[in-house]
Amino acid sequence: MTAPSPDAPAIRELLGSLLDAGIAAAHPSKCLVGHLPPPVPGRLIILGAGKAGGSMAAMASRFYRQEHGVPEERILGLAVARHGYGEDAPGIRMVEAGHPVPDAAGIEATKEALRIASLAGPDDEVLVLLSGGGSANWIAPAGNLTLEEKQGITKALLRSGAPINEINCVRKHLSRIKGGRLAVAAKNARRILTLAISDVPHDDPSVIASGPTVPDPSTLAEALAICERRGIPLPDSARALLTDPGNETPKAGDPTFARAEYRIVARPIDALEAAAAAAQAAGYEPVMLGSDLEGEAREVAAEHARLAREAKAAARKVALISGGELTVTIRGEGDGGPNQEYALALALALDGEEGIAGIAADTDGTDGGRGKATDPAGGLIDSTTLARAREKGLDPAAMLVDNDSTRFFATIGDLVQPGPTRTNVNDCRIILVG
């Protein structure tokens, strides 16, 4: 039997604590309240969406009702979060909906959000609370596109390995709320203030939750080209939308955005810096590899394994820390997600190298999966990972080819499963060397 090294439990506990430090730094309880504006004379219309939509709405509800005494009749709101991520927010209706594939609950909630936004008058402020996941939670197919057709397109894009900016470009041009269209609905408001937790590389507001309150720089032609390049089957209803000039999203300079403001309250780098500070306190030299990495999970893992080996050869005690949003081009029949695939590929690339351990997880608490709040967030590896897997009859290389990382880590007991974190600043990957 292969036994973990004597310090393995301590290293595993440390890796988990570093991840926890990163997640805590991006929770709305830490990052939101300082950005909430004082109450306005009219009504406050609060609309939230995404994996942090429930927790952000709850913080806002407490802020205005308890700290400012705003009466119930002056607060009107609705928040949508993925299933299992809702949170009690008095005065604000809470809806749980599908993610990453949208569902009927999301459609009904989105219709209501658009209706509420259209009620805003010149004395009312519209407060939009956004986080990653909002693209799936706010779902309003345009034209004659059906929910089933939209689900099919979303699934095909996810399987194609398309990066999030491409996926959202297509989503925006098939929607009645994305790509600035929520701002159009609320155009009569005194102000539209969006407070967002970023989960995207480079913190682009037009990409976070598909930019419902900002001008859209992408075009119909780009959306159509993405679908053609990725081989995405398009029903006639979707093709009609992507070839109709009248369906173009609002652009910069549109008067709709004259009273719209946008602030990012938490970024991926905030979580990584918190993890880095905790690593430094534990005696490791933090080495930041970037907060906005993109690319195939297994290819990035191979490069990070190389960096870890170099650090070990130089006798450095370091924590290699990275974020961003990696992708997986699905060719196999297994289950998994980018962080689990990264962790499995990292273990294979390190091939049992002593003195190196790592964790990779999505800060929202789920990594790929089937849309359940109990889905795993990632995986943890050390020098014994491959040996323990083979003792259980697993073939790690074959499982990577089959995109079967969830079963791999579940079998050896190394899935990372924090449950709903109610925030989302994308991936957090930490490799400890030495």
Side-chain angles (χ1 to χ4, degrees):
M1 295 291 289
T2 300
S5 60
D7 61 346
I11 293 299
R12 287 162 172 266
E13 184 177 346
L14 175 58
L15 283 166
S17 70
L18 300 183
L19 174 64
D20 289 344
I23 291 172
H27 192 275
S29 61
K30 294 282 185 69
C31 66
L32 180 63
V33 172
H35 294 274
L36 291 171
V40 296
R43 292 177 301 176
L44 182 62
I45 297 175
I46 300 175
L47 301 172
K51 295 165 189 172
S55 53
M56 294 177 85
M59 293 301 303
S61 173
R62 289 194 286 270
F63 177 80
Y64 290 111
R65 291 165 61 89
Q66 297 177 10
E67 296 188 28
H68 287 275
V70 178
E72 189 170 330
E73 62 270 18
R74 282 178 48 204
I75 296 179
L76 178 63
L78 184 148
V80 189
R82 70 171 287 172
H83 290 295
Y85 283 61
E87 195 165 324
D88 184 43
I92 300 172
R93 181 186 168 202
M94 187 74 241
V95 176
E96 294 187 352
H99 182 281
V101 179
D103 61 14
I107 283 189
E108 292 306 312
T110 306
K111 288 179 181 177
E112 181 63 7
L114 287 167
R115 186 190 72 82
I116 293 173
S118 71
L119 299 177
D123 293 328
D124 303 328
E125 178 153 283
V126 176
L127 179 62
V128 180
L129 305 174
L130 288 183
S131 72
S135 292
N137 293 155
W138 266 348
I139 171 73
N144 296 319
L145 189 68
T146 67
L147 171 61
E148 292 73 21
E149 290 171 336
K150 186 71 176 288
Q151 289 172 328
I153 293 169
T154 300
K155 289 176 181 177
L157 284 165
L158 289 168
R159 291 184 64 88
S160 75
I164 190 62
N165 62 310
E166 290 189 9
I167 294 173
N168 283 356
C169 174
V170 176
R171 283 168 159 169
K172 285 186 278 192
H173 289 91
L174 298 175
S175 172
R176 292 187 290 112
I177 193 169
K178 299 176 173 66
R181 300 186 206 259
L182 177 60
V184 173
K187 62 184 178 182
N188 294 323
R190 176 178 182 269
R191 179 174 68 159
I192 305 168
L193 174 62
T194 302
L195 302 179
I197 293 177
S198 171
D199 73 320
V200 302
H202 314 296
D203 305 319
D204 184 348
S206 70
V207 179
I208 301 169
S210 297
T213 58
V214 295
D216 178 29
S218 70
T219 65
L220 285 165
E222 289 171 344
L224 185 60
I226 289 167
C227 292
E228 292 176 346
R229 184 171 68 252
R230 297 282 178 183
I232 307 300
L234 291 177
D236 291 343
S237 56
R239 189 167 294 278
L241 289 167
L242 298 183
T243 55
D244 176 10
N247 184 47
E248 188 56 274
T249 47
K251 307 302 180 189
D254 190 306
T256 292
F257 304 109
R259 292 187 298 277
E261 297 181 30
Y262 197 104
R263 301 177 200 163
I264 296 178
V265 302
R267 296 170 166 81
I269 190 62
D270 299 330
L272 301 188
E273 288 179 344
Q280 189 168 35
Y284 290 82
E285 173 196 351
V287 176
M288 199 71 73
L289 302 180
S291 62
D292 51 13
L293 302 188
E294 296 180 271
E296 282 285 329
R298 62 183 67 183
E299 295 174 5
V300 175
E303 172 61 14
H304 289 182
R306 184 187 66 79
L307 295 175
R309 287 178 182 275
E310 285 184 356
K312 181 186 175 184
R316 297 173 65 192
K317 186 176 182 180
V318 301
L320 304 178
I321 301 172
S322 65
E325 186 161 36
L326 305 183
T327 53
V328 174
T329 302
I330 299 175
R331 299 183 177 90
E333 300 298 324
D335 292 326
N339 287 285
Q340 295 163 83
E341 179 137 333
Y342 169 94
L344 175 52
L346 181 67
L348 283 162
L350 290 171
D351 194 26
E353 184 86 29
E354 292 284 345
I356 303 176
I359 192 169
D362 197 319
T363 56
D364 66 17
T366 59
D367 178 47
R370 299 186 180 277
K372 297 180 180 179
T374 55
D375 287 337
L380 186 151
I381 67 107
D382 62 17
S383 60
T384 70
T385 295
L386 298 184
R388 288 185 291 117
R390 288 167 181 145
E391 285 176 355
K392 291 185 177 293
L394 302 180
D395 182 337
M399 295 181 82
L400 180 63
V401 170
D402 199 35
N403 303 119
D404 203 11
S405 52
T406 296
R407 186 168 67 92
F408 176 86
F409 286 108
T411 302
I412 64 173
D414 282 342
L415 282 175
V416 177
Q417 293 181 285
T421 63
R422 294 180 173 83
T423 189
N424 184 18
V425 285
N426 236 321
D427 300 342
C428 181
R429 298 176 293 270
I430 305 164
I431 302 174
L432 297 181
V433 182

